Amino acid sequence: MSFSAFPQASSSHALTPFGWDDAWAAEFAPYAAQGLLPGRVVRVDRGQCDVMTADGIVRADTAFVTPHDPLRVICTGDWAAVEAAGSPRYVKAYLPRRTAFVRSTSSQRSEGQILAANVDHAIIAVSLALELDLGRIERFLALAWESGAQPLVVLTKADLVPDPATLAHLVQDVENTAPGVQVLTVSSLTGEGTDVLGAVVGDGTSVLLGISGAGKSTLANALLGEEVMEVQEAREVDGKGRHTTTTRNLLALPGGGVLIDTPGLRGVGLWDAETGVGQVFSEIEEYAAQCRFHDCAHVAEPGCAVLAAVDSGELAERRLESYRKLLRENQRIVAKTDARVRSEIRRDWRLKSAEGRANYAAKRTGRA
């Protein structure tokens, strides 16, 4: 199939529901000249992946795009260049990513693990069946901001908090923890909030994140309008769920937009997320700008505006402690990794992210 089969991202284009646009078409032109097909990776497992092409799902081998660097392996959400024929077929390359959600692994090598690519919205699902863990929410938010996606916190199982005053208090706690981030309460059981969430995810690509039992798969089914993802009840003893989702799956939503559902994350380690941490704790960064010394550590220095804010009650001490903890963790990770390679990868992502967002904004306003 030639590139002429993919001239523009028109409403009739077979890959448009999966996020294909004119900018991706232009990026793909060199691969089209080689006779390769464009497609979006919807699932990866055991060295192979399912790729959605204009001809439907293609099962392809990833041997040609499996480098030693774990941040460069193909992942769900990538746009791939696939062989037009063959058995097996191979993914020959993937297009530069606009955004990438990365966490550190639990291995002693402190490697990064890429969870999803080319994501516009990072939906952090938090179950109201459990006591809120604000520190974990901050951790997810730091990674989301660093990825280049727009975070959104969704408080699931809102039907379990029938008292409006209590629910409002919980929402306020999360809003204070997530400056600049929309916080929604949703119940897949009653349908509360799913219409608002559907409107958000109907524009672009969204990834669902959270621990097991947060209600991600149930939420995905509510957005899809059918039971696509397997769901199991959380354990009554601790409210934790079982890993019903074992791979990252990309799904086109009936109302528009694309959703990537992910397995429950036991650990959410930071990976070169200093910018993301700063965004999560933006009020602390604003206070820090008023400190007497530009390199103030906010511990016991004279003229520290951050400590003054804690003393006056303007800044919660828990927030400052969490800020210090995440910065320390991030610094340890950075110290253990190859700074040059990491910087090169980040620079590429940010450049592509800026270009992609500009093209996306132009398309939405009708200028493209």
Side-chain angles (χ1 to χ4, degrees), residues 101 115 122-126 140 144 207-211 214 216 262 265:
F101 193 96
L115 298 180
I123 304 171
I124 301 164
V126 180
F140 270 112
V207 61
L208 264 175
L209 303 160
I211 65 172
K216 298 185 301 301
T262 65
L265 300 175

Side-chain angles (χ1 to χ4, degrees), residues 189-220:
L189 181 65
T190 66
E192 175 191 346
T194 54
D195 55 340
V196 178
L197 180 59
V200 173
V201 302
D203 188 14
T205 298
S206 304
V207 61
L208 264 175
L209 303 160
I211 65 172
S212 296
K216 298 185 301 301
S217 294
T218 302
L219 199 57

